[in-house]
Amino acid sequence: MTTTMPNRSVNVPNDEPRARFRDLIATEWIKLWSLRSTPWAFAAIALAIIIFNANAAYADWSNWPQYSAETRTGFTPSWALRDAFTNFAGMSVVLAISAIGTLTITGEYSTGMIRTTFTAVPARRSVMTAKVAVVSAVTTGYGALIAGTSFLVTQAILSGRGAGMSITDPGALRAMAGAALLAPVSGLVGMGLGAVIRHSATTIVTSMVLLLLLPVTLSGDHWTAVIGHAMPYQAWGHLMEGDDAAFNHYAYPSTVAGAWLVYAVWALAAAVLTVSTVHHRDQ
């Protein structure tokens, strides 16, 4: 007679608690600041941007006596805001912050730390979501700090000629918000590309071409103008000047609402790409 033993599942107790999302946030925060180069890079970029913007405002302050009455009358708000948020500042933010966003992803792949991370926390999407949250929060605060400081410094210089602006003046708050939010958008795009490409140098070059070189080369007919307006850098430029300013001398103008939409779509798409890609690919 054959005796059949019933199948019984054996539950092996697991004394190690599952990682909470706030623990993942703390871990990613430590990773971001663990390299000494990170705070130095942030500080150097901020200092360079603020000094350059202040120099632009000082140049207008120095040349003010030579400006025509028409130039002086139309100086505020368009030119005053351009001194606070120069093209150099926009390009620097795009290049630097997209590179930092890239390295938060590709750095772990190059060192192999990503395998250790996913071994400790198999919930890959949760890990990447925490990484996205940390980078978004840090770069948003960083962008706001640079934008706010640049605005205060440049307008203080221009006030010596009676051309400075207040934050309550029309267009000032929009321009400051647009300048601040360019940082997290650039950082997230760098992360999204890094999650796909997984190679630091290649991703940084791709980000530069996509975010800077491509928008500059797009001009002319209707369709290239539409593509150009869909780029974050051109959206930033539009937010600096608004619907009725010189930015809209192009044959196919955009709108402020459209510029905000471009920011939102790029940021959301990059975040989704970062979180979803890692779930479907081997490490």
Side-chain angles (χ1 to χ4, degrees):
M1 183 176 63
T2 303
T3 304
T4 303
M5 300 296 294
N7 293 327
R8 294 181 181 178
S9 60
V10 179
N11 294 324
V12 179
N14 185 3
D15 295 332
E16 184 177 353
R18 296 181 61 184
R20 295 169 296 185
F21 189 70
R22 66 181 181 183
D23 296 328
L24 299 179
I25 292 287
T27 300
E28 295 303 326
W29 176 270
I30 294 172
K31 287 181 183 178
L32 179 63
W33 298 106
S34 61
L35 294 177
R36 294 182 180 180
S37 59
T38 299
W40 283 107
F42 276 125
I45 297 162
L47 186 62
I49 290 174
I50 293 169
I51 290 176
F52 191 92
N53 292 346
N55 183 66
Y58 180 74
D60 281 324
W61 183 91
S62 300
N63 296 325
W64 190 262
Q66 286 75 48
Y67 289 164
S68 65
E70 182 180 0
T71 300
R72 294 184 186 184
T73 302
F75 190 86
T76 304
S78 181
W79 290 104
L81 287 178
R82 274 300 182 184
D83 283 345
F85 312 111
T86 60
N87 288 334
F88 171 83
M91 291 181 180
S92 298
V93 167
V94 169
L95 287 174
I97 306 304
S98 64
I100 290 175
T102 293
L103 294 175
T104 60
I105 298 289
T106 59
E108 289 202 57
Y109 282 105
S110 62
T111 61
M113 183 181 291
I114 195 70
R115 297 186 181 90
T116 303
T117 299
F118 289 151
T119 300
V121 185
R124 298 181 180 185
R125 288 178 178 172
S126 297
V127 171
M128 303 308 285
T129 300
K131 193 181 292 291
V132 166
V134 169
V135 171
S136 298
V138 170
T139 54
T140 298
Y142 180 73
L145 177 64
I146 294 178
T149 303
S150 289
F151 183 84
L152 292 175
V153 171
T154 56
Q155 301 315 302
I157 294 172
L158 293 174
S159 65
R161 299 294 188 183
M165 294 181 65
S166 168
I167 189 61
T168 58
D169 289 344
L173 188 60
R174 181 204 64 239
M176 186 179 297
L181 292 177
L182 181 63
V185 172
S186 301
L188 288 172
V189 171
M191 292 184 72
L193 293 175
V196 174
I197 300 173
R198 301 186 179 184
H199 186 274
S200 298
T202 305
T203 306
I204 291 173
V205 171
T206 303
S207 298
M208 181 180 67
V209 171
L210 180 63
L211 295 176
L212 282 183
L213 297 184
L214 184 60
V216 172
T217 59
L218 290 173
S219 62
D221 61 25
H222 173 72
W223 291 111
T224 56
V226 169
I227 297 173
H229 288 319
M231 295 294 170
Y233 183 69
Q234 283 204 16
W236 168 83
H238 191 67
L239 290 171
M240 295 306 101
E241 298 191 10
D243 286 333
D244 300 323
F247 185 83
N248 265 337
H249 73 274
Y250 297 110
Y252 306 100
S254 181
T255 64
V256 167
W260 287 124
L261 181 61
V262 169
Y263 267 26
V265 170
W266 276 83
L268 180 60
V272 171
L273 188 64
T274 302
V275 174
S276 62
T277 301
V278 74
H279 187 72
H280 298 291
R281 296 176 63 182
D282 294 333
Q283 307 314 313

